[in-house]
Amino acid sequence: MTSTLSRRSFLAGTAAFAASVAVLGLPRRAFADDAQAAEGAVVILHTNDVHCAVGETDAAGAIPLGYSALASYVANRRSVFGNENVTLVDAGDAVQGKVMGTITQGQALVDIMNECGYDIVIPGNHEFDYGMTQFNHLIGSANAKYLSCNFTDNRTGTPTLMFDPYTIKEYPLPAGGTVRVAFVGVTTPATLTASSPRSFWRSDDDHTCVYGFCEDETGSKLAQAVQGAVDEARAAGAEFVVLLAHLGQTGQPSQWRSDTLVSRCEGINVVIDGHSHEEYVQIVQDRNGDDVVIAQTGTQFSSVGQIVIIPETGTIHASTYSYEASLLRETRNPDDPSYVKEVAFGRDTQTQAVVDEKAAEVEAQTGTVVGRSEVDLFAYEADGYTWAVRAHETNLGDFVADAYLYYASNNGVMPDVAFVNGGGVRTNLLAGDVTRADLINVNPFNNQLCYTQVTGQDLLDALELSARAYPEPLGDFLQVSEGLTFTIRTDIDSPVILNGNEFAGFKDGAERRVRRVTLHGKAIDPAATYTLVCHSYYLVDGGGSYSMLTKNPVTLLGLDNDALMEYVQLNLHGVIGQEYDGAAGLGRMTTQVGPDKEEYEEKQGETPDPAPAPEDNAPAPESNPKPLAATGDAAATVAAAAAFGVAAAAGAAAVAAETQKQ
């Protein structure tokens, strides 16, 4: 049984504050009166998947939610509960995702997090994107303690943990003595393919994977590693156990999901989750049937989480806070269980100064205007929060894939098709001036583009692998270049077989979901050879399980975001025009329920009456979605700047799990 408390929007009343107002309203769930809760409470404030949404001042002078607001909020909590009773933690993926991370290889983010005073951090999959040497440098420059019970160095033949699996913190009690709380770290085994696989190789010449994350196709190794760390922490005197997890739920391998892991373990009280970019507070049961709280705060500072443990009663309270760029305020009855209390904490000026200094350094390198766009190009759905580019075709996905294709053409290649993974397209590109920074933010990973020869069968297999989770979002969902079209049969289960992270083929005799694949109007010939353009993450590293694309040598081109810049300036003559209008893209992908007339006749020898109708494409974002402050989109916060000044609760969720000390 899983009980989920999701984001709620309180829209009964709205107001606007001038951009000059220098306070930020941070709503707090009224789980208990501060004075009562302060008596020996353990308070854990948590973030995850910030992805470089630091909260720098935008072009209009507005400051979206970010680290300076977090630092001020932490200071407030410490003033209420006591310095020694408040801990600040992060569940991974902080250093990659926007231009500041790309330009500084993550160092600027570590510097800002040091200023905020993070206590404990775990690595997410994207902490490894800059390679192991830079990863170690970032860890060495961080003030926070890093944990992981499943990240191992296998070079000696015997797996050795790279970090301590857990740490125990002691919190003072009012009557004297302390309560001991253990923090255990765990990172998804999908990191081996969801980051840059070459980070884990022995060398570029020897692709032997010398690091591991307790990966296996059943998830049993991961559960054993976590349970072992929990048992050690309990034996060392921990009275509560908090699991810091970069695992996630929706769209993740079922054997490595956070709720699956909890169901296989015991002795965990709280899971602070990350990776799947969802916002939730849940109560799930462990293998003994005991309640465990799981909380995740979305992505790019869409929310900040708070866990409050009352040692005297064993009660655990969890809440997350959602924010908007404009003020959305509702006065509610304090007796209402959904009552939201708003308190203005302002901003920590010293932290904001560090953020602005880093942002100015990046702006000096990347603020050049390279063109303009006449249309909005979308990575998100209309809610400004849910990934569209990972779930269906979008006009931004079309634009990026086309840029890769034409970049290869400009370099003397005769490419047939280009792919880009939805997970590599990181933010909307809105109408107006387009800067170098804007295009780096779309493709922030500095992936090396390259091209190779593949068979038509390889292309068909790759598209089938891409569609395996549809309609669920998937970071490895492929956006494709002009000329390639196909249909996904949504009534057919995916035939793809994965062995852990590895593609293992297709189920014998199973139908395929992807149909009618054509290139410039001609059916793909499985035996023919085609020239594919993509990035080295797929064509060299075999990322995303696309091993069928790594069979032949590659020829290197430039960086992915350089391709976007050249495409705008050279091929589009500085203007992204109406040819890309329409959030749902240019019709390269369609979906269908049931066989079409030709398929039916071939199988049955007769025509259905009436013939099944094609399913409508997935819902498209509105042409003018609401501001994306919740996801840290810089262009969107410009549009909302006039209303900015006080952020408000779009929702708050809280649960109380009566959990006795074990």
Side-chain angles (χ1 to χ4, degrees):
M1 173 182 173
T2 299
S3 175
T4 303
L5 299 173
S6 61
R7 291 204 307 172
R8 297 177 57 192
S9 296
F10 299 121
L11 304 176
T14 62
F17 278 58
S20 60
V21 178
V23 296
L24 185 71
L26 298 183
R28 184 179 65 80
R29 170 70 172 149
F31 59 86
D33 180 80
D34 278 349
Q36 295 175 341
E39 295 297 319
V42 174
V43 179
I44 305 164
L45 304 177
H46 58 98
T47 56
N48 62 269
D49 297 276
V50 172
H51 283 298
C52 305
V54 296
E56 66 268 33
T57 304
D58 65 26
I63 307 174
L65 179 68
Y67 284 113
S68 65
L70 173 67
S72 184
Y73 183 51
V74 172
N76 175 274
R77 298 294 83 192
R78 286 176 173 157
S79 71
V80 172
F81 294 95
N83 286 334
E84 296 180 339
N85 288 75
V86 178
T87 299
L88 179 60
V89 304
D90 184 81
D93 278 9
V95 303
Q96 177 62 286
K98 286 184 177 291
V99 63
M100 185 180 289
T102 302
I103 293 297
T104 69
Q105 290 204 308
Q107 187 61 58
L109 285 305
V110 172
D111 293 344
I112 294 169
M113 293 176 73
N114 284 344
E115 186 66 36
C116 284
Y118 276 87
D119 299 293
I120 304 170
V121 174
I122 64 169
N125 55 297
H126 286 299
E127 262 69 40
F128 299 95
D129 283 354
Y130 305 114
M132 196 58 69
T133 299
Q134 181 65 7
F135 173 80
N136 289 329
H137 174 77
L138 294 176
I139 300 305
S141 65
N143 294 337
K145 182 176 181 61
Y146 275 73
L147 299 174
S148 181
C149 72
N150 69 313
F151 175 35
T152 61
D153 183 344
N154 303 335
R155 286 174 292 186
T156 63
T158 301
T160 302
L161 285 176
M162 295 288 290
F163 299 113
D164 289 340
Y166 69 91
T167 189
I168 294 178
K169 291 181 67 68
E170 296 189 9
Y171 299 86
L173 295 172
T178 61
V179 59
R180 295 166 62 84
V181 178
F183 294 83
V184 177
V186 59
T187 299
T188 177
T191 298
L192 288 173
T193 55
S195 181
S196 174
R198 68 174 55 203
S199 297
F200 309 111
W201 294 347
R202 189 179 302 278
S203 68
D204 281 344
D205 295 326
D206 182 354
H207 294 185
T208 302
C209 189
V210 294
Y211 296 92
F213 292 87
C214 297
E215 64 280 354
D216 71 349
E217 59 182 298
T218 67
S220 60
K221 287 185 179 179
L222 182 68
Q224 289 169 9
V226 171
Q227 189 63 61
V230 171
D231 290 345
E232 287 183 23
R234 289 286 185 181
E239 298 163 82
F240 294 90
V241 174
V242 177
L243 185 68
L244 294 182
H246 197 79
L247 296 175
Q249 294 183 13
T250 301
Q252 305 312 310
S254 59
Q255 70 271 30
W256 299 328
R257 288 170 52 121
S258 58
D259 48 356
T260 301
L261 179 67
V262 166
S263 72
R264 296 178 172 183
C265 296
E266 63 182 342
I268 299 169
N269 300 108
V270 176
V271 178
I272 294 174
D273 203 7
H275 189 48
S276 59
H277 295 189
E278 299 173 275
E279 184 174 341
Y280 46 66
V281 176
Q282 302 172 339
I283 302 176
V284 301
Q285 282 70 51
D286 68 10
R287 68 186 185 192
N288 292 332
D290 294 327
D291 288 341
V292 178
V293 176
I294 306 181
Q296 186 180 173
T297 65
T299 183
Q300 297 191 44
F301 263 128
S302 58
S303 184
V304 175
Q306 178 172 273
I307 305 293
V308 178
I309 300 173
I310 311 296
E312 186 176 276
T313 62
T315 303
I316 299 171
H317 302 273
S319 54
T320 64
Y321 318 121
S322 301
Y323 304 95
E324 303 292 340
S326 59
L327 180 67
L328 302 175
R329 172 177 291 172
E330 182 175 25
T331 302
R332 300 179 64 84
N333 184 342
D335 295 330
D336 185 333
S338 300
Y339 174 66
V340 173
K341 179 180 179 182
E342 295 181 356
V343 185
F345 297 111
R347 291 184 179 278
D348 181 77
T349 56
Q350 186 170 327
T351 302
Q352 189 62 48
V354 173
V355 169
D356 288 343
E357 177 186 359
K358 302 293 184 184
E361 293 171 357
V362 171
E363 171 69 18
Q365 300 179 61
T366 63
T368 305
V369 174
V370 298
R372 63 184 176 86
S373 181
E374 295 179 343
V375 299
D376 294 333
L377 302 171
F378 294 98
Y380 294 103
E381 301 285 9
D383 60 8
Y385 182 83
T386 306
W387 289 109
V389 75
R390 301 184 183 201
H392 57 81
E393 181 183 358
T394 76
N395 57 351
L396 182 57
D398 291 347
F399 165 80
V400 174
D402 290 349
Y404 292 3
L405 188 77
Y406 278 90
Y407 185 68
S409 297
N410 297 340
N411 284 272
V413 183
M414 296 183 65
D416 294 299
V417 64
F419 289 159
V420 60
N421 58 314
V425 180
R426 304 299 290 196
T427 192
N428 290 359
L429 184 64
L430 301 184
D433 285 344
V434 175
T435 67
R436 182 168 175 251
D438 293 331
L439 296 177
I440 292 175
N441 281 333
V442 170
N443 270 178
F445 299 123
N446 272 354
N447 282 319
Q448 179 81 51
L449 289 184
C450 50
Y451 66 92
T452 190
Q453 303 299 309
V454 297
T455 66
Q457 189 62 59
D458 294 331
L459 291 178
L460 296 174
D461 291 350
L463 292 173
E464 195 68 43
L465 181 66
S466 166
R468 68 186 185 274
Y470 187 90
E472 293 294 329
L474 181 70
D476 292 304
F477 183 80
L478 295 175
Q479 301 285 328
V480 304
S481 60
E482 66 176 18
L484 187 68
T485 63
F486 59 92
T487 297
I488 302 173
R489 279 278 302 276
T490 60
D491 59 309
I492 296 175
D493 292 335
S494 173
V496 170
I497 300 173
L498 291 178
N499 182 4
N501 292 314
E502 301 299 323
F503 172 69
F506 301 96
K507 299 172 185 175
D508 290 340
E511 290 190 85
R512 295 203 174 200
R513 308 187 87 192
V514 176
R515 308 295 182 92
R516 296 199 297 275
V517 185
T518 66
L519 185 61
H520 301 298
K522 295 182 178 180
I524 292 289
D525 180 355
T529 298
Y530 297 87
T531 300
L532 170 66
V533 182
C534 193
H535 40 59
S536 59
Y537 172 59
Y538 279 174
L539 303 190
V540 178
D541 302 349
S545 304
Y546 285 96
S547 57
M548 74 290 292
L549 303 180
T550 65
K551 298 175 182 177
N552 294 315
V554 305
T555 301
L556 300 180
L557 297 166
L559 298 180
D560 52 4
N561 42 55
D562 285 340
L564 304 188
M565 295 176 207
E566 183 172 302
Y567 182 55
V568 171
Q569 293 179 302
L570 181 62
N571 300 98
L572 299 181
H573 307 292
V575 179
I576 304 171
Q578 296 299 319
E579 65 270 26
Y580 285 106
D581 190 28
L586 307 181
R588 299 171 187 180
M589 309 178 199
T590 57
T591 58
Q592 178 178 313
V593 174
D596 57 23
K597 178 180 177 181
E598 289 76 13
E599 288 177 315
Y600 192 92
E601 287 177 336
E602 181 179 343
K603 285 190 173 185
Q604 306 295 329
E606 59 184 55
T607 302
D609 186 19
E615 179 185 19
D616 290 339
N617 285 325
E622 300 169 4
S623 58
N624 294 300
K626 68 178 182 179
L628 302 186
T631 56
D633 185 283
T637 54
V638 171
F644 180 80
V646 178
V655 297
E658 297 296 335
T659 307
Q660 298 302 319
K661 293 182 289 183
Q662 298 180 26

